[in-house]
Structure formats: structure tokens, C-alpha cells
Amino acid sequence: MSENSPAPVGSDRRTGTASVGTVRLTVAQALVRFLTVQYAERDGSRERFIPGTFGIFGHGNVAGLGQALLQNAQDPADGEAPMPFHMARNEQNMVHTAVAYARTKNRLQAFACTASIGPGSTNMLTGAALATVDRIPVLLLPSDIFATRTVDPVLQQLECETAGDVSVNDAFRPVSRFFDRISRPEQLIPAALQAMRVLTDPAETGAVTLSLPQDVQAEAFDWPLEFFRERTWHVARPVPEPAALERAAEVIRSARKPVLIAGGGAIYSEASTALEAFTDATSIPVLDTQAGKGALSADHPLCIGGVGATGNNAANELAAEADVVIGVGTRYTDFTTGSHTAFRHPEVRFVNLNVKAFDAAKHSASMVVSDARAGLDALREALAGHRAPAEHAEHARALRTQWETLIEPCFAPHDQELPAQTEIFGALNELMGDEDIVINAAGSMPGDLQALWKARSPLQYHLEYGYSCMGYELPASLGAKLASPGSEVVAIIGDGTFQMAPQEIATIVAERVKVILVILQNHGWSSIGSLSESHGSQRFGTKYRMRDEDSGLLDGGLVPLDIPANIRSYGIEVQEVSDTAAFREAYRRAAASAEATAIVVNTNLYGPNPPGNSWWDVPVSEVSTLESTQSARTAYESRRSSQHHYL
């Protein structure tokens, strides 16, 4: 995948002749130098692929990668490019930051993350799983125990009594798209090249892990200068196989009520223009997933909105009627399919256009293995002159209008002391620009946002819902802002999520990055509380309450956590509001400021929320002495009866 380019001659110079000689560097120094000359290219645009490194140093990497990054900053080799270092506060958070950066860059750039051995490295596991689930590139460099085993066990080593070559870093294997342990210096050469291959492959990308024993990081080796030449990795746009394209076109031509579902792949491949052209040419309504919202602007009359468990009624009604579903860049998670209840036509067929064959094959589909943009253009040409029935498109537009009328109360003031979070979302949607970025990940908010938010660009809606990781939002705001400095970046954070990962406020302050943090405080886990109540568990263990001395349960007074004071301790401005009008003014002040700002909004724990007509399969206890659980089980069995495989 790489191309030859001018190579170095002598110790560090690059000329147009073949490379000769070697240079003596440690493994860590060689890795840093290698990463500074890796580039990615797509559609003629070429950028350095690893623009910087996040890290937290400990005894496992401070004298290895830490020294190499210091040397790069203070005494780089002749012609060596800089590798900017960003100090994080929590290892999981820094991976989230790196993921948000790569996602905002449509996977054409990615950060490296280094951590010390033991807990420092295993703290990155959740971030690794998130990156791999979401198919976002990030290079992880966890430190490892001594390769020589002269010091055994070392501080923070978990000893395996049955295998001497196992360390906690082996836990990265199942959550990484590529894993290698560098036990000898020369192993870095093939490992680094394989790492770049996977990171820049749109079908295979995700977390890539190079495990680095702390002694090997500091070990010197005579490296061939050719290893450090500039390499350009061409990010492929695979085109459809003609026969597969024709099979797909034949299925679509037969449809009376087709829909198209836009997933994240439609955004990462920058397919918005192609999707709009396809929609205009065929009149096929477009529904979207959490990752795909914004692929087609909400202003388009055939953009119907979110589909599935947290989708809107209009999109779900179209999905239920569809006889052909065209999936573009989607993984079809259970939220998209309503746990296999969303598509109810008895003879529904699927056409899946995806760069990854694994996803293209789902639901017994007619497979089109292709880049989303190239595939949509080719499919539009294959369908030249074909349009969905006019009454179908008209029906879709009518359903969209009905939905917009139905949700108007979600944005209006309610007869309650505090605003619903939906009021705040409506205000934000109006206040934010088309190229600004709203970030969220977990809890009740993604459900409300997918149903209500009108994304007017592919950049605006940044929801991490593949792994739906609480704690992603705040560090992600830093990554998104670094990737798109001209955008206003707003992280919407529940008080539960805030308590899980506030540490990167310190990094935001240290890096002098301007983001806006909107913390919605409702003194509980709203999403899980609602799910608990609807499934017979009475919101047990979901409210932030003191333990009651009489009942012995956590149902006493509110926990006296002062979130505004907590945030102020990091050194940023905080505004606290309790109504939507005050929030609007607070947001305008925050947007006008050159510094990071937090807005803490006191909201109602119980909603209201947008109506829904879909379902999510969360099993209810089959037997119970509680009447609430028994009733919920009866309702569960009724809904589950409509589940089926798509064959």
C-alpha cells in the first residue's frame, strides 16, 4: 500500500538517490522517528497520519518512549519532523480523545497513545474496545514487562503461573485489529509497517496495539535508513464488482417501498454529495443511524431521520413497511434493527453497500463490497432512470411533517420547575452552526438526540453509540476541537457521566483549548432509571441519594455534590442555569468567549421525552415475586414475539 519516495542517504539527509547506511537509535527513538514520516492520502489530499502522541509516563515508558519524545522535542535528528506530545490525566480518556480526533478527521489521521506498564496500560483497554467497535484508528503503545526477564517479577507485573510470556497486555488482543509484542529491536520493522497497513485500511481499521517491553524500548539497534523514508499509505476506495452491482440494482428496481439507511461509513467515506445525488435521482427516503446522522442534511425533504430503538416514528414506520432496505456503511446494531423487529415486511430484502464484506453480508443481503461514495455513484448510474413510486416518496414526506408536529411539545416550556433535557437540545440545535460539533455517547441523551436533532452537515453530530461509553464525551471534545479548531465544540454530559471522567478538564486547560461543556444535572441515571422502571425494577439503584438510616436503602436526601464548584477547581468559568432562556444566554456568552466554559443545567429527571414506536430487547426476569417485574415480563414476551431473522 505504500509508495516509494525520496530516501535518506548518510545519517539523516534525504535525497533522490537510494538509501545507504544505518543509524543507531533505541527502539523508542526509532518508533518515534518512523511515525513522523508516515502519510495518508485519499483523493489527492495527503496529510501526516500520526500528528502527535498522547501519554502518561510511568516507570515502564518514562525512560523509553518518554526519552524519545523529549529528544524529538529538544534535539531532533537532522531532517526529523516534530512529534508533539500531549499530557493526559487518565489513560482511558486519552484514547477517547484520540478516537474523537480520528473520527472528526474521517479516519485520515490518528494519534498514538503511550502508557506505563500494568494499570496504566490496562486503563486503555476500554478505549481500545471502543475504537475497534466503532472502526476508528488509534495506535496504542502500552509498556510491558522486561523481555529479558532478568527482573522478574517487576513492579506491577501480574505473574502467570502457566505461561511465562503472558502479561496483562495480552488482554489487548481481542480488542485490537492488530497486536504485536516487540521482544527484539528488529521486530519493530515489520510490526510498524503492519500497524500502518491496518490503521489506514478502511475495512480493517480500529485499535492497533504495539506492546513495548520497557527494557526493549531503551535498547539500541542499527536501523536501516530506508526504514525512515517518507511513506504514503493510500486509503483505498474499492469500487463495486459489476455483477454485484447489477444484482443489487435488480433488487432495488423491484421495490415498491424502499428505504436507505445511512451509517457511519457514509460519513467516513465523505459520501454526502453522492448520497444526495442518489436520493434526488431515485426518490428513495433516507433514514440514519447514530453514526450516520448528517450524512444527508436534515434540510433535505427525503431525510426522514433516525431509525430503530431510539429513532423517530416516521422513520420507523417507513422501516416497518419497507420491502427493500439499502444499508450504506452500517453495522445494523440492535438499536438500528429494533432488536430485529424494525423491518416487518414479510418478504423484506436487503442490499448492503459496505467496504467490509462482514457487514455487507448481514441479513442475507445482496452484497456490494465497496467504498460508500464510489458505491453510491455506481449504484445511481446502474439505476439510471429508475425512481421509487411517487406515492412512496410523498408518504415519506408526509410522515416527516407529522413527526415534526408531534415533537413540538418536546422543545416548549413545561409545567414543571426545571426544564426537560429536550428543551435544552432544541435550543442547542438552533444556536449551533452547521459546522459546529455536538458530542454525546451514553444514557438517555442519545435516544432523545437521534429522534430530535437535525444535523445539517456530516460534521455536526458526533455520537459515540457503538460502544456507548460513559465518560467519552468530555475527552472527546478535546480531540474534536484539535481536529477542527474552527468549529464550536459542545460536549453534552450527564451528571453521571461527569462523575466518571472529569479529569481531562485539566488537559483542556493546559492545552488552552476552547470547548463548551454542557452538564445536565438531574441527580441520577436517567436512562437506566427509565429502563429499570419499564422493565419492572422500579428505578432501583439509579438515583443519587444518601443511604437512609431507617430503610437502609439509597433513597434518602440528595448527595451533596457541587458540580459547579468541582469544575471551577480546574480553573474554567462555570455558569449555572435552571431554565431554557437562561441557558440560551449562557451559551451565547460561552460561544463569544475565547476560553473553555462549562454550563451546568439543572433539569428534570423524568423528561418528557419524545414518543417512540420501536423496541429494544432487554430481557426481563422470567420469574419474580414482584408484581412490577411480572407485569414487565408479560409485556416483554409480547414484544419479543415479533422478532425474527432476516433470511
Side-chain angles (χ1 to χ4, degrees):
M1 289 184 64
S2 64
E3 70 175 7
N4 292 329
S5 56
V9 171
S11 60
D12 290 299
R13 295 290 183 184
R14 294 176 176 83
T15 72
T17 62
S19 64
V20 294
T22 60
V23 59
R24 191 162 182 81
L25 301 169
T26 67
V27 168
Q29 292 163 0
L31 178 56
V32 169
R33 186 165 170 183
F34 171 84
L35 293 176
T36 65
V37 290
Q38 305 304 305
Y39 289 78
E41 178 276 331
R42 186 170 70 180
D43 302 332
S45 178
R46 179 178 179 267
E47 292 186 280
R48 190 170 129 185
F49 189 71
I50 306 287
T53 298
F54 280 96
I56 297 178
F57 295 128
H59 69 90
N61 62 347
V62 67
L65 275 168
Q67 188 281 333
L69 290 164
L70 169 68
Q71 185 168 300
N72 172 271
Q74 292 191 356
D75 187 26
D78 189 12
E80 182 177 351
M83 174 62 78
F85 173 73
H86 304 270
M87 183 176 68
R89 269 61 180 181
N90 174 277
E91 293 89 354
Q92 176 178 315
N93 288 353
M94 73 184 180
V95 182
H96 292 338
T97 302
V99 167
Y101 181 94
R103 174 173 173 168
T104 305
K105 287 289 189 178
N106 286 331
R107 309 191 299 193
L108 297 175
Q109 286 186 296
F111 266 82
C113 296
T114 175
S116 189
I117 74 166
S121 287
T122 55
N123 278 351
M124 296 196 294
L125 283 167
T126 294
L130 182 149
T132 296
V133 167
D134 290 349
R135 284 79 184 274
I136 305 294
V138 60
L139 177 60
L140 304 180
L141 306 174
S143 301
D144 214 331
I145 58 178
F146 281 75
T148 61
R149 305 189 201 166
T150 302
V151 182
D152 185 33
V154 68
L155 176 65
Q156 298 179 317
Q157 177 178 346
L158 187 154
E159 295 180 87
C160 179
E161 298 177 7
T162 60
D165 63 345
V166 170
S167 80
V168 293
N169 283 6
D170 286 280
F172 282 95
R173 293 180 185 271
V175 294
S176 300
R177 294 299 299 163
F178 177 80
F179 175 94
D180 203 352
R181 179 177 281 113
I182 312 303
S183 299
R184 292 177 55 88
E186 57 267 41
Q187 292 174 350
L188 178 65
I189 294 175
L193 293 169
Q194 286 290 342
M196 285 301 304
R197 176 191 66 80
V198 175
L199 287 167
T200 57
D201 186 326
E204 298 302 322
T205 196
V208 167
T209 302
L210 298 182
S211 185
L212 301 170
Q214 58 179 322
D215 53 342
V216 176
Q217 288 183 45
E219 189 174 345
F221 183 73
D222 293 322
W223 304 89
L225 288 171
E226 178 70 7
F227 183 52
F228 304 112
R229 69 170 173 83
E230 287 188 1
R231 282 180 166 81
T232 299
W233 301 82
H234 300 286
V235 180
R237 284 198 183 277
V239 298
E241 177 192 7
L245 194 65
E246 183 51 43
R247 288 192 295 269
E250 182 180 357
V251 173
I252 296 170
R253 288 191 199 100
S254 71
R256 301 301 301 167
K257 296 182 178 181
V259 297
L260 185 149
I261 298 178
I267 290 181
Y268 306 143
S269 65
E270 299 172 347
S272 291
T273 299
L275 178 57
E276 183 177 15
F278 180 89
T279 306
D280 290 342
T282 64
S283 294
I284 295 176
V286 175
L287 323 180
D288 50 53
T289 70
Q290 290 280 14
K293 184 173 287 294
L296 183 66
S297 171
D299 293 335
H300 194 287
L302 283 176
C303 178
I304 311 303
V307 65
T310 53
N312 69 56
N313 289 7
N316 284 329
E317 187 168 336
L318 289 172
E321 299 170 351
D323 53 356
V324 169
V325 177
I326 307 166
V328 179
T330 177
R331 297 190 298 121
Y332 288 111
T333 68
D334 61 342
F335 263 67
T336 298
T337 68
S339 297
H340 280 221
T341 64
F343 311 112
R344 301 174 192 168
H345 191 287
E347 298 177 357
V348 63
R349 291 183 292 171
F350 291 79
V351 172
N352 291 340
L353 195 164
N354 203 294
V355 73
K356 193 174 181 68
F358 177 81
D359 292 319
K362 289 177 177 176
H363 305 324
S364 307
S366 179
M367 299 169 57
V368 182
V369 180
S370 169
D371 167 77
R373 192 174 86 179
L376 280 168
D377 283 340
L379 194 55
R380 174 172 51 82
E381 293 175 5
L383 291 167
H386 173 77
R387 297 179 70 84
E391 60 272 20
H392 178 57
E394 184 60 34
H395 177 54
R397 287 189 287 266
L399 287 174
R400 169 179 154 145
T401 300
Q402 292 171 17
W403 171 252
E404 290 175 349
T405 301
L406 185 64
I407 61 174
E408 286 176 359
C410 291
F411 307 127
H414 296 85
D415 185 19
Q416 55 191 29
E417 182 180 356
L418 296 173
Q421 66 184 25
T422 54
E423 294 178 52
I424 304 303
F425 296 160
L428 267 178
N429 209 170
E430 293 175 13
L431 292 165
M432 292 179 66
D434 292 2
E435 299 302 313
D436 293 339
I437 302 171
V438 63
I439 297 176
N440 190 245
S444 64
M445 289 186 267
D448 289 353
L449 286 166
Q450 192 193 14
L452 301 176
W453 193 271
K454 294 184 177 181
R456 300 180 295 274
S457 77
L459 185 67
Q460 190 186 59
Y461 190 81
H462 185 124
L463 265 283
E464 191 292 296
Y465 213 59
Y467 209 48
S468 188
C469 185
M470 294 182 72
Y472 173 84
E473 296 93 333
L474 198 154
S477 70
L478 171 59
K481 186 68 173 184
L482 291 174
S484 186
S487 300
E488 206 70 79
V489 176
V490 180
I492 306 176
I493 306 166
D495 51 357
T497 289
F498 175 80
Q499 293 177 66
M500 287 192 172
Q503 304 94 328
E504 252 43 57
I505 297 177
T507 307
I508 288 169
V509 171
E511 295 284 355
R512 303 180 186 276
V513 171
K514 189 270 175 89
V515 297
I516 299 174
L517 308 176
V518 177
I519 294 91
L520 304 186
Q521 179 165 266
N522 54 28
H523 303 283
W525 286 324
S526 176
S527 174
I528 292 301
S530 177
L531 184 69
S532 169
E533 185 173 49
S534 66
H535 284 60
S537 294
Q538 306 173 20
R539 292 185 180 260
F540 177 74
T542 65
K543 302 175 186 177
Y544 300 147
R545 297 292 189 271
M546 302 291 289
R547 189 168 298 281
D548 187 86
E549 294 181 356
D550 295 327
S551 70
L553 301 176
L554 293 171
D555 57 5
L558 294 175
V559 175
L561 171 65
D562 192 336
I563 289 180
N566 188 291
I567 298 173
R568 287 190 185 99
S569 72
Y570 285 98
I572 69 172
E573 180 185 352
V574 181
Q575 304 177 70
E576 186 172 8
V577 300
S578 298
D579 63 75
T580 305
F583 171 77
R584 289 177 180 272
E585 291 304 313
Y587 182 84
R588 292 187 181 100
R589 288 191 293 269
S593 173
E595 307 292 333
T597 305
I599 307 172
V600 178
V601 189
N602 297 305
T603 60
N604 189 300
L605 178 65
Y606 301 104
N609 303 108
N613 59 356
S614 188
W615 183 65
W616 182 39
D617 189 346
V618 176
V620 179
S621 295
E622 192 168 356
V623 296
S624 173
T625 60
L626 301 179
E627 184 179 349
S628 61
T629 307
Q630 294 169 2
S631 176
R633 178 68 191 191
T634 300
Y636 172 75
E637 290 176 349
S638 174
R639 296 301 298 268
R640 191 176 64 167
S641 64
S642 62
Q643 281 182 309
H644 63 283
H645 293 290
Y646 302 115
L647 301 174

